[in-house]
Amino acid sequence: MMRSALPAPWPQPLAVVTVLANPKATRIVRTVPGGAYSSKPLQALPCSSPQVQHQFQAFQPVRCLAGPVMPSSLPVFREASEPETMRSQVTGSASGPTKLAPGLLVKVNELSLEINELLGKGSFGTVWLATPAPISSMPRIALKELVCTTQDEVERAILEGHYLRKMSADTSKAAAGRVPELWAIEVERNEAEQSWLVRTAMTRLPGQALERKLTDTCPPEGQDIRRCFAEACCYAGQLLAQLAPALEAISECVYHRDVTTRNILVAEEGLSLTFGLVDFGLAVDAAQWRSGAYTSDLGGDGRYWPVSAWFAFEHGAKALDRHPALQQEYRTCIDVYGLGMSALRCLLELLPALPEDLQLEAMPSHALKKLKALQDIWAEHWADMRRFWQPVYEIFLAGGCFDLLREEYREVGVHQKVSENLAVLRVAVREARQACQNAAPESGLAGMPALFDALLLMIQPAEPLFEVDDQSAARGSSFHLHSPVTCY
């Protein structure tokens, strides 16, 4: 049997809460050592607290876990004009807008900025790091620059700024520091190219994209695998602990619709992790979305779509009327599903590849086997999601028509395959959870059951589906797909 001393310092996650969902309300209780429940107010306890060692920080999953909050009346699809609270202006230029570069001084509305460096580049634009000038002591700014060729694109870009302003004004402290705040926005008309340039200045959240962490991280050779378990578990747990309350807070007014590892930022400082959510370019008004007003507006990264979104892509959102559970998921749970999938991917891809015959001191052998099985099932599911999404994304980039692909996906039942994958994945998660139950703290697995409980609430395969009349589904089901601009 392999013997390895537990390295120090040991990362100690915090306490987790369990959601007991019922049709009328969301009841939140905190799990405490011994399996008892406490109804005391939620609070973030320090990692060193002996009361909550090897569990997760308290978090409140979004309301959709207990059912949607439906508006009393059907709202208008989208604002007819720019909101009055927006600090923006439209200018024009015959020679075209100034090209941004490090060291350049620019104005966005009345906000003077010095461009520092390029942060990222996406399909439609770029994001620059900037410093307010001449007051260098002010927070650094992320300046998002989008080139728009239609009025609809301009309106969407302006709405992103509107939602950033609205979140700052309407949401609780749970979202403070987790999402950007708007500073200024400006629209400039480029007469030479018959386009518009929308520049949005917002607070720059710390960290790098979680996607980069997952693709660049390789476990150090010779590192204690039990520490790898604990650190991966802590990483995914802190992701949920910090962003689930933020999603709950902003869901009162906005749905992000593109919660993925590309739009989640993470900053590491020693053992401290700070997560944030950026790029609200696909965000929608929450009340309008819950009412079904956005019937032809589907966006984001399909690898993180729930079953209902794939069903809507194939058959049209109107077909969801026949499936209340799918409709509820589509209207209320897209963000929480994306966060759950991001956390599960984070956990499993930060773990080292587990060999079949691995044995460790203080480590239940059946737990290792179940975690290995979960890794394998996840790899198969993620390969399927990439395979399903790639043709959609390529057609979008080419500006093509989705009708033939939608017909093919209806015939093969892509949404059913996704649902089946999720059912298998949930079985593997439950089995891994059971295998890790009562694991010793020194195994690195003690926090897994609480994390798996949360993931099982957030990732669900929805309901079994009935046959759908493809001819009726094909009528009136035109979709506008808005793919993510993953540049920040």
Side-chain angles (χ1 to χ4, degrees):
M1 179 179 294
M2 183 184 302
R3 294 179 179 272
S4 177
L6 187 66
W10 181 256
Q12 298 178 5
L14 304 181
V16 74
V17 294
T18 302
V19 177
L20 303 180
N22 62 68
K24 296 183 179 180
T26 302
R27 185 155 61 98
I28 307 295
V29 293
R30 182 189 298 150
T31 61
V32 295
Y37 291 98
S38 168
S39 59
K40 296 179 181 179
L42 302 181
Q43 58 181 337
L45 301 177
C47 289
S48 58
S49 170
Q51 301 169 324
V52 293
Q53 289 181 2
H54 311 294
Q55 295 184 45
F56 291 94
Q57 180 173 341
F59 74 95
Q60 183 176 349
V62 296
R63 177 174 288 105
C64 66
L65 295 178
V69 179
M70 300 302 294
S72 57
S73 61
L74 186 66
V76 180
F77 169 66
R78 188 176 287 175
E79 291 88 345
S81 61
E82 178 187 342
E84 294 181 0
T85 57
M86 288 294 296
R87 199 178 151 224
S88 65
Q89 64 181 18
V90 181
T91 62
S93 173
S95 60
T98 304
K99 187 175 182 180
L100 299 184
L104 182 69
L105 291 175
V106 297
K107 271 195 172 184
V108 180
N109 209 324
E110 297 301 320
L111 178 64
S112 297
L113 297 172
E114 179 180 353
I115 304 301
N116 301 138
E117 62 179 287
L118 181 66
L119 288 176
K121 188 174 183 179
S123 303
F124 303 115
T126 55
V127 174
W128 295 82
L129 180 64
T131 304
I135 310 174
S136 59
S137 61
M138 295 175 67
R140 302 183 91 180
I141 297 296
L143 180 59
K144 185 173 184 178
E145 185 179 67
L146 296 180
V147 177
C148 304
T149 57
T150 67
Q151 288 282 1
D152 182 69
E153 292 175 359
V154 174
E155 182 182 3
R156 178 175 288 274
I158 292 176
L159 278 175
E160 179 181 7
H162 169 56
Y163 293 140
L164 293 178
R165 174 68 58 83
K166 191 174 182 181
M167 285 188 297
S168 299
D170 297 349
T171 59
S172 68
K173 293 181 180 180
R178 305 294 179 199
V179 297
E181 295 182 10
L182 179 71
W183 279 62
I185 185 169
E186 183 176 81
V187 181
E188 183 174 354
R189 172 66 173 170
N190 186 343
E191 297 294 347
E193 298 185 7
Q194 294 296 297
S195 64
W196 292 265
L197 186 69
V198 182
R199 286 175 175 164
T200 307
M202 65 194 83
T203 52
R204 200 277 199 217
L205 299 186
Q208 65 174 352
L210 180 57
E211 179 74 20
R212 183 178 301 176
K213 169 73 176 179
L214 298 182
T215 55
D216 294 351
T217 298
C218 181
E221 186 175 349
Q223 180 170 334
D224 192 325
I225 195 170
R226 295 170 298 178
R227 183 182 181 89
C228 293
F229 283 137
E231 290 182 341
C233 186
C234 183
Y235 224 96
Q238 288 292 329
L239 170 59
L240 296 184
Q242 296 180 33
L243 290 192
L247 282 185
E248 164 68 9
I250 68 175
S251 66
E252 294 290 337
C253 55
V254 170
Y255 285 135
H256 186 280
R257 296 201 307 150
D258 195 17
V259 180
T260 72
T261 55
R262 291 187 181 277
N263 291 329
I264 294 172
L265 300 185
V266 57
E268 301 182 33
E269 186 174 351
L271 297 178
S272 175
L273 301 172
T274 301
F275 290 92
L277 181 64
V278 297
D279 199 344
F280 283 76
L282 299 179
V284 292
D285 180 271
Q288 292 181 6
W289 182 264
R290 286 191 293 261
S291 73
Y294 293 92
T295 56
S296 63
D297 191 39
L298 187 61
D301 185 335
R303 297 174 300 173
Y304 297 85
W305 283 354
V307 174
S308 56
W310 282 106
F311 180 85
F313 175 73
E314 296 170 18
H315 302 281
K318 278 295 186 182
L320 290 169
D321 293 344
R322 306 180 188 180
H323 307 283
L326 282 177
Q327 186 179 68
Q328 175 179 320
E329 177 189 72
Y330 185 73
R331 292 183 178 181
T332 64
C333 297
I334 285 181
D335 282 357
V336 74
Y337 178 89
L339 181 60
M341 291 301 292
S342 297
L344 181 57
R345 183 185 171 201
C346 178
L347 170 69
L348 296 178
E349 295 191 9
L350 287 180
L351 290 179
L354 299 176
E356 297 285 352
D357 57 349
L358 178 64
Q359 291 186 341
L360 289 173
E361 183 180 356
M363 182 79 70
S365 59
H366 65 289
L368 292 174
K369 291 180 181 178
K370 293 301 182 182
L371 288 170
K372 166 65 175 174
L374 178 57
Q375 272 190 330
D376 293 343
I377 290 171
W378 166 260
E380 293 177 5
H381 169 73
W382 195 242
D384 282 342
M385 297 312 299
R386 295 180 66 178
R387 179 165 55 90
F388 296 150
W389 172 241
Q390 191 62 35
V392 180
Y393 187 59
E394 289 176 354
I395 291 176
F396 167 78
L397 289 180
C401 178
F402 293 103
D403 289 350
L404 291 179
L405 183 64
R406 290 174 58 245
E407 181 179 355
E408 179 183 347
Y409 278 18
R410 285 197 300 269
E411 291 177 357
V412 301
V414 166
H415 69 276
Q416 292 174 323
K417 173 60 177 174
V418 174
S419 183
E420 292 166 2
N421 279 9
L422 293 178
V424 173
L425 188 61
R426 282 171 53 85
V427 169
V429 170
R430 283 196 296 267
E431 291 181 350
R433 183 215 177 281
Q434 185 64 31
C436 295
Q437 187 72 25
N438 301 320
E442 59 269 22
S443 68
L445 302 176
M448 293 288 187
L451 175 60
F452 287 145
D453 282 340
L455 292 173
L456 286 170
L457 287 169
M458 303 174 82
I459 302 172
Q460 302 192 32
E463 65 175 5
L465 301 178
F466 299 97
E467 293 293 325
V468 177
D469 182 351
D470 286 345
Q471 290 185 352
S472 62
R475 293 192 298 267
S477 58
S478 176
F479 261 88
H480 302 291
L481 183 69
H482 299 279
S483 188
V485 183
T486 54
C487 59
Y488 176 32

